[in-house]
């Protein structure tokens, strides 16, 4: 396949490396010249993607911030072939899918929203890996929900990534769920590590601290954009956890062991029911 990739950061760079390792022809573009040079030295792309050659691509994957992603798509849409599958890889879906579906209808190509559920706390091309997506879940949003041939095309296009499972949903359901599974976790981790006590943790911390603080090390520019685009869903999740935390706080203030034990038990049972007990 001829694959176009916009953005060669952690996600885009990993896409390029995986497709290249599978023997595909890569058209790539990143606004940062140094990144393009590093990727060129690594041999992960064959052509610099632009208006003159994007039409050759059988699939174009957009792996930059949502606003930049849609601005690029608006600019390049007249040059994309009607046979091309275009997929964005951003962390929110309502914004990108609203624009992407409309542009696809106007220009005749196929657009789908995508969100690979993989990554690290680090960003940038130097952390990209051909194995980043291996066995990871992939969430896909399509404009229609009964096109088997489209589903097969998406599956075949993404096969070199080695995803463990493809899940199909709506843009609304994606953003609602991701506010809990990803965005809230980043907010909580980022807020938790701001405790003055955190500076004294060395020698007193183990797995719990590491697990909870890993994603505090984030790309603040990217996550600010994602949070604001999904602010209604994220605010709802923040309100929910604040309410729960206040219950724990009140039980402590009242020295109420019975209530505190009940809250802890409820949380344990919820975890067991959601994730099937011990992991």
């Amino acid at each position: 396949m001829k694959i176009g990739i916009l953005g060669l950061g952690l996600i885009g760079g990993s896409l390029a490396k995986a497709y290249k390792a599978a023997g595909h022809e890569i058209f790539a573009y990143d606004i940062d010249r140094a990144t393009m040079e590093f990727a060129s030295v690594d041999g992960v792309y064959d052509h610099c993607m632009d208006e003159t050659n994007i039409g050759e691509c059988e699939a174009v994957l957009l792996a930059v911030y949502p606003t930049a992603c849609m601005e690029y798509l608006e600019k390049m849409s007249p040059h994309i072939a009607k046979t091309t599958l275009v997929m964005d890889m951003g962390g929110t879906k309502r914004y990108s899918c609203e624009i992407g579906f409309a542009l696809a209808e106007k220009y005749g190509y196929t657009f789908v929203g995508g969100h690979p559920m993989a990554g690290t706390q680090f960003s940038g091309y130097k952390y990209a890996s051909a194995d980043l997506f291996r066995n990871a879940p992939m969430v896909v949003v399509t404009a229609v929900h009964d096109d088997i041939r489209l589903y097969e095309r998406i599956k075949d296009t993404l096969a070199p990534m080695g995803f463990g499972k493809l899940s199909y949903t709506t843009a609304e359901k994606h953003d609602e769920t991701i506010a809990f599974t990803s965005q809230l976790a980043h907010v909580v981790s980022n807020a938790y590590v701001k405790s003055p006590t955190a500076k004294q943790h060395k020698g007193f911390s183990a797995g719990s601290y590491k697990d909870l603080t890993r994603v505090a090390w984030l790309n603040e520019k990217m996550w600010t954009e994602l949070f604001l685009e999904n602010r209604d869903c994220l605010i709802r999740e923040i309100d929910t956890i604040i309410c729960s935390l206040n219950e724990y706080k009140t039980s402590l203030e009242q020295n109420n062991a019975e209530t505190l034990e009940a809250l802890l038990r409820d949380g344990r049972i919820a975890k067991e029911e959601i994730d099937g007990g011990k992991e």
Side-chain angles (χ1 to χ4, degrees):
M1 290 187 293
K2 293 184 177 182
I3 303 294
I5 298 174
L6 172 66
L8 290 174
L10 175 66
I11 299 299
S14 296
L15 290 169
K17 289 184 176 183
Y19 277 110
K20 192 63 178 175
H24 299 287
E25 187 174 356
I26 309 301
F27 297 69
Y29 177 75
D30 192 287
I31 194 172
D32 183 69
R33 183 180 295 274
T35 296
M36 289 290 286
E37 291 176 353
F38 281 125
S40 178
V41 170
D42 284 348
V44 301
Y45 70 90
D46 303 285
H47 316 281
C48 179
M49 184 169 64
D50 58 24
E51 294 92 337
T52 68
N53 60 26
I54 194 172
E56 299 179 35
C57 298
E58 298 164 67
V60 175
L61 308 179
L62 310 172
V64 294
Y65 300 172
T67 300
C69 174
M70 291 301 106
E71 289 176 350
Y72 179 87
L73 190 57
E74 288 182 350
K75 175 184 175 183
M76 300 299 284
S77 281
H79 309 286
I80 297 175
K82 290 180 171 59
T83 55
T84 300
L85 174 68
V86 179
M87 179 182 294
D88 87 287
M89 295 288 179
T92 58
K93 293 276 78 79
R94 284 178 294 176
Y95 169 75
S96 59
C97 285
E98 180 181 2
I99 297 174
F101 290 151
L103 288 171
E105 183 176 2
K106 179 178 179 180
Y107 291 99
Y109 57 81
T110 300
F111 178 88
V112 298
H115 188 181
M117 304 307 298
T120 73
Q121 65 269 42
F122 306 112
S123 60
Y125 176 77
K126 69 178 181 177
Y127 297 107
S129 167
D131 296 323
L132 180 67
F133 310 109
R134 187 68 53 188
N135 296 321
M138 174 68 176
V139 183
V140 180
V141 177
T142 57
V144 295
H145 307 290
D146 57 356
D147 190 337
I148 301 302
R149 285 185 294 180
L150 175 58
Y151 291 168
E152 287 299 318
R153 184 183 181 188
I154 293 169
K155 180 181 178 181
D156 291 343
T157 300
L158 296 175
M161 303 303 102
F163 287 112
K165 179 182 179 181
L166 300 185
S167 298
Y168 293 86
T169 187
T170 64
E172 291 74 19
K173 185 63 176 178
H174 169 276
D175 287 1
E176 177 184 318
T177 306
I178 216 69
F180 170 73
T181 61
S182 177
Q183 294 184 340
L184 180 65
H186 282 77
V187 169
V188 170
S189 179
N190 198 263
Y192 170 80
V193 80
K194 292 176 182 177
S195 168
T197 313
K199 297 178 181 179
Q200 307 165 24
H201 83 87
K202 291 183 179 180
F204 293 82
S205 58
S208 297
Y209 173 84
K210 292 178 181 178
D211 290 344
L212 188 52
T213 61
R214 181 180 66 83
V215 294
W217 198 335
L218 47 68
N219 179 333
E220 60 271 16
K221 183 176 181 180
M222 180 187 75
W223 283 101
T224 294
E225 183 171 333
L226 293 175
F227 288 166
L228 291 176
E229 285 180 3
N230 203 32
R231 60 187 178 276
D232 54 340
C233 296
L234 182 53
I235 288 171
R236 185 163 57 247
E237 292 297 337
I238 291 174
D239 283 341
T240 298
I241 196 169
I242 287 174
C243 181
S244 293
L245 288 172
N246 276 327
E247 291 180 341
Y248 291 91
K249 180 183 177 184
T250 298
S251 69
L252 290 167
E253 290 173 338
Q254 296 175 350
N255 197 28
N256 190 328
E258 182 179 355
T259 299
L260 180 58
E261 183 177 344
L263 290 170
L264 295 170
R265 180 174 60 251
D266 289 346
R268 172 181 57 78
I269 292 172
K271 171 65 174 175
E272 291 174 352
E273 292 177 345
I274 293 167
D275 295 326
K278 293 183 179 180
E279 297 179 346

